[in-house]
Amino acid sequence: MIVKTPEQKKAVKQGMLSNVMRQFDNAADIIGLNSNIRKILEVTNNELVVHFPVRMDDGEVEIFTGYRVQHNNSLGPYKGGLRYHPTVDIDAARALAMWMTWKTSLAGLPYGGAKGGIQLDPTKYSDEELQRITRRFTYALGDNIGPELDIPAPDVNTNPQTMAWILDTYMSTKSPAERSTNMHVVTGKPIGAGGSQGRDRATGYGVFLNIKFWAEHKNINLKDKRFIVQGFGNVGFWAAYFLEKEGASMVAVQDAYGSIINEEGISVDDLLAYTKANKGSIMGFAGAETLDSSGFFGLDCDICIPAALGNVITAANASKIKAYLIAEGANGPTDVEAEAILLKRGVTILPDILCNSGGVIGSYFEWLQNRNGEIWQLDEVLEKLEKKLRESFTKVMETSVKREIDMRTAAFIIAIERLEETYVQRGIFP
C-alpha cells in the first residue's frame, strides 16, 4: 500500500486545480476565447463548506466537514459526484467541479459542473455511522441541491446506497405533495429507489467504448491485447469486464491495498468475487502474484486504465510507461508534465472528460426517466449510451486530426466553444 504524507496529499490536491487550469488555459489560448467569457469560466459560481455534528456508535459526537462547489450552470443545472475521501477539500472540489463543466458540455448535456464530498476515510466508520453522516450532510446542504438546481451522484467511496440515503433525507424535508416530484435530486440510485438500468456500469462501459472506438479508428483488434487497471472499484471492474469480453487480457491490477500481476491473465469475474469476500481488497487473490506497487505503471502492456484517483501518472513515472494507450477512467489521473512526456513518446491519452463521461450520460438518462415518469430497459440505455459516446468521440477525433492537436486539447476546445456560444447568444446580466 502506498501511503502519502500530509504534504504529498496537499500537493496532489493543489496539483489537480493547477492541472485543470493549465488545460483550460491551453485550449482557451488556441481558440482565442473571448476575454470576458474567460474571466467567468476561470472562477466558480458558488462554494459551500459545511461543518456538522454526528453521533457515533459509541455515543461520542464527531464534527465533519463537507463541501459542494458549483462551477458553472450556463447550460443547465449543476451536476457532479460526491466523494468520501481524506483528500477532499475546497481545492479538490474546485478542480473536479471544473472538469464536470467541460465533461457535460463536451457530451452535449443540459448540465453544468459541480463536485463535493466529505473529508473522511469511510473504512473507519460503520454502515450505520455512514448513514447518519450522509443524512446529516444532506440536511446541511439544504436547498443548495435540488432536481433542477444541483444534482449529486456517486463518486469515490460513495454508491447507490449513499444516493438512496440522500434521496430519502432530501424528500423528507419537502411537503408530502412535493416528494415524488423530487425523485431526480440525485442520480446513481438503486433500481428500487428510482435508479436506472445500466447506470451501475455506465462509466466503465464508457471507458471500454472509447477504447473500442479508438481501436476501430486505428484498425487495431483488441483480441489478446494486454491491459492493466489501477482501481478495481465500479469503473475499473466494468471497463475490465467488457474488455475481457472483447478478448483482451487483464494482466495486473492495483488498488489502495497493493498490486497483483499474472502475465497469463487475471479473471475479472473471479477477482470481483474475491474482493467482495475480502472487504474490497485484491491482495491475496490466488490467481495472481503480489507486485511492488512502485513499478505498476511501468509494466509491459498495451492499454493502461487509471480508474482510481487524480495525479497518479506524473513526470516521475511517465517515462517508464510501456502502454501505447492510456484510457482515463479517473478524473485528472495524468498531470500536465506527465502528459507532455507521454505525447512526445507517441502515447495516446483518451482524456477523462471524454473517456469517463459515460457516467454522467447515464445519470442524465436516469434524470430524464425520473422527470418523465418513464422506465427504460437495459438494452435501450446501453444503446443510447453508445450512440452519445460515439458522437463525442467522433467530434474529438475529427478536431484532433483537423487541428493537429492531442485529444485532450481537442475535447477542451469543443467543450469551451459550446459554453462560449451560450454566453455570446444570451449575453451577461444585467
Side-chain angles (χ1 to χ4, degrees), residues 231-415:
F232 200 67
N234 182 271
V235 180
F237 163 72
W238 283 110
Y241 173 86
F242 288 109
L243 273 171
E244 187 179 69
K245 293 285 186 193
E246 204 75 7
S249 176
M250 180 170 73
V251 294
V253 183
Q254 183 180 83
D255 68 2
Y257 302 95
S259 306
I260 59 174
I261 184 171
N262 184 341
E263 295 286 354
E264 302 303 311
I266 298 169
S267 166
V268 176
D269 282 334
D270 288 354
L271 184 59
L272 177 69
Y274 178 83
T275 60
K276 283 183 175 179
N278 288 272
K279 298 181 180 178
S281 174
I282 62 172
M283 300 310 292
F285 177 63
E289 297 174 2
T290 301
L291 169 77
D292 181 358
S293 288
S294 63
F296 180 77
F297 285 108
L299 292 173
D300 184 20
C301 63
D302 303 297
I303 303 164
C304 171
I305 306 172
L309 295 171
N311 274 14
V312 293
I313 299 177
T314 65
N317 60 21
S319 60
K320 300 170 187 171
I321 289 176
K322 295 182 177 66
Y324 52 73
L325 179 68
I326 295 174
E328 295 186 335
N331 292 310
T334 313
D335 73 20
V336 175
E337 285 76 19
E339 182 153 27
I341 294 168
L342 291 163
L343 292 175
K344 194 172 181 181
R345 291 178 51 215
V347 177
T348 298
I349 301 171
L350 297 176
D352 47 9
I353 65 170
L354 169 67
C355 193
N356 67 39
S357 62
V360 73
I361 295 170
S363 279
Y364 171 61
F365 293 158
E366 181 180 329
W367 185 74
L368 277 182
Q369 290 170 75
N370 292 161
R371 246 182 150 201
N372 301 332
E374 297 178 5
I375 298 174
W376 302 351
Q377 299 305 308
L378 178 60
D379 57 350
E380 186 180 359
V381 172
L382 296 183
E383 185 182 329
K384 289 176 185 288
L385 186 61
E386 181 167 357
K387 183 182 176 184
K388 198 88 174 130
L389 281 166
R390 191 179 285 278
E391 287 173 3
S392 295
F393 179 87
T394 302
K395 280 183 192 172
V396 172
M397 184 56 74
E398 286 175 350
T399 302
S400 174
V401 171
K402 183 180 176 182
R403 288 182 175 265
E404 298 182 341
I405 52 177
D406 62 275
M407 292 185 72
R408 188 186 314 280
T409 305
F412 264 75
I413 285 174
I414 294 166

Side-chain angles (χ1 to χ4, degrees), residues 412-430:
F412 264 75
I413 285 174
I414 294 166
I416 293 167
E417 284 183 337
R418 183 179 174 216
L419 286 154
E420 181 180 32
E421 183 181 23
T422 300
Y423 278 106
V424 168
Q425 291 174 348
R426 284 169 42 177
I428 297 168
F429 177 82

